[in-house]
Amino acid sequence: MKVFESLCKLVPTAHATSPSPFNPLSLLPGLFTLTPLTTIAQRTLRRGTSLLDPLVLAPGLHLQPTATDLHKGEYPACAALNSGYVFRVENPPTVYFLQRVGRTGCLTDLKVSAQASSPSRFLPTCGEALASLGYYAAVGCSVFAAQRVYALNDIWALFFISNLIFIRLVNFLVLRRRSRPGWFGAPEPGVQGDLFILLSQDRWVRIRGSVDDLKALTSGTWLCEPTALETFFGAVVKLLVYANMAVAGRATDAGVCIIVAMLLVNGGLLALDDLRMRSLSMYGRTMEAVGEPKRYLRRRDLAEQLIRESGRDDWAVAMGLIVKNRASTGKSEGVTVTM
């Protein structure tokens, strides 16, 4: 009984010495950071990594390493109209871009070209820079937010922002190591290629350009498998994202408001940039749409047109577009086409 009475006496004393009551506002920075938005992952998939990435702080920044999962596991069938070979597009960024530009019941024409002015995947060209004004505005917003919390002498809010920058820096270094150019097949200099791709939801895409450029964007994969060290650092930054929520609980209300405003503004800027992007950049090559998608009332009309243009129909047999017993390797007249 005496022990119980002693504990009861300690309870009010503990409440009296507590630093401050719980502030629900302090949960917002952590909750906004953990919001499962994929704007940063989408930009990474379409533009790769950039030296300014650590300064772009937006909701969902911890999901950047999952960029290769945005294509939802689809590997569409692809036919080389010039040679008749049929294979699959294995590169996740390319598949994701095709899914974004493709339209149901329409043929979308794309062209692939080399970037003479920027051979690196990590430095943007002049055109890319103009299309990424929101990205650079987000960098300025993050720097401004860090300067404001420093002026307020809010050490915990500054520590929260510093942790986010460190998390982005580690992800940038890991992704840069994993995105080394890999297997592209045998080089075929001077040869032009013409690819036809069947996507889900009856979306059709045609890509034309140099064979070497086409191979660079459709062959192999963008990110190699992580090493044990890269996996370790990836796990560490994931834990830091959740641990950062405790840091925000010690920040002042003004610091919390600045962090929340920064996350909201940066998230909106990156989303606007993503809506305006109409091209894919990778390994010094650019893939972009040519004209508007052309609608077809029936798949048969599309198949017959491509067979006439390519002068062969063996690729159509392999893709299941025409009946096998009516196929040939030369020009076809009146082929039977499946729906």
Side-chain angles (χ1 to χ4, degrees), residues 8-21:
C8 292
K9 292 179 180 180
L10 289 175
V11 172
T13 304
H15 282 291
T17 58
S18 60
S20 61

Side-chain angles (χ1 to χ4, degrees), residues 160-172:
F160 182 92
I161 294 177
S162 300
N163 274 347
L164 295 184
I165 295 176
F166 176 75
I167 291 168
R168 291 282 277 143
L169 177 62
V170 172
N171 283 334
F172 163 75

Side-chain angles (χ1 to χ4, degrees), residues 74 76-79 81 89 95 97-110 194-208 287 289-306 315 319-321 337-339:
E74 181 178 5
C78 177
L81 302 184
V89 180
V95 176
F97 178 71
L98 297 179
Q99 292 171 337
R100 290 290 300 269
V101 301
R103 296 292 181 268
T104 299
C106 298
L107 176 66
T108 304
D109 282 309
L110 304 177
D194 191 353
L195 303 181
F196 173 67
I197 301 174
L198 282 177
L199 289 162
S200 60
Q201 303 175 12
D202 285 323
R203 292 170 292 185
W204 313 309
V205 178
R206 188 176 186 181
I207 312 176
R208 281 172 277 199
M287 180 185 296
V290 179
E292 295 296 326
K294 182 179 179 181
R295 178 169 293 276
Y296 289 85
L297 295 179
R298 293 181 296 182
R299 188 187 299 179
R300 181 180 66 188
D301 299 335
L302 170 64
E304 290 179 345
Q305 174 186 330
L306 294 180
W315 59 267
M319 301 184 82
L321 293 177
V337 183
T338 61
M339 294 301 294

Side-chain angles (χ1 to χ4, degrees), residues 1 8 35 42 47 56 61 72 78 114 117 126 128 180 187 216 250 257 292 314 327 330 333 339:
M1 293 297 294
C8 292
T35 303
Q42 290 174 12
R47 293 297 184 193
V56 179
L61 57 86
K72 301 177 182 178
C78 177
S117 58
C126 180
E128 292 174 356
R180 296 185 297 268
R250 304 300 300 272
C257 292
E292 295 296 326
D314 48 351
E333 299 179 359
M339 294 301 294

Side-chain angles (χ1 to χ4, degrees), residues 124-188:
T125 62
C126 180
E128 292 174 356
L130 293 177
S132 303
L133 295 180
Y135 177 84
Y136 299 117
V139 173
C141 183
S142 300
V143 174
F144 177 76
Q147 187 274 331
R148 293 311 304 162
V149 296
Y150 177 79
L152 292 173
N153 199 25
D154 191 341
I155 302 301
W156 291 106
L158 184 61
F159 189 63
F160 182 92
I161 294 177
S162 300
N163 274 347
L164 295 184
I165 295 176
F166 176 75
I167 291 168
R168 291 282 277 143
L169 177 62
V170 172
N171 283 334
F172 163 75
L173 294 176
V174 171
L175 289 176
R176 185 163 185 173
R177 281 175 52 88
R178 294 178 57 193
S179 61
R180 296 185 297 268
W183 182 84
F184 296 147
E188 300 181 46

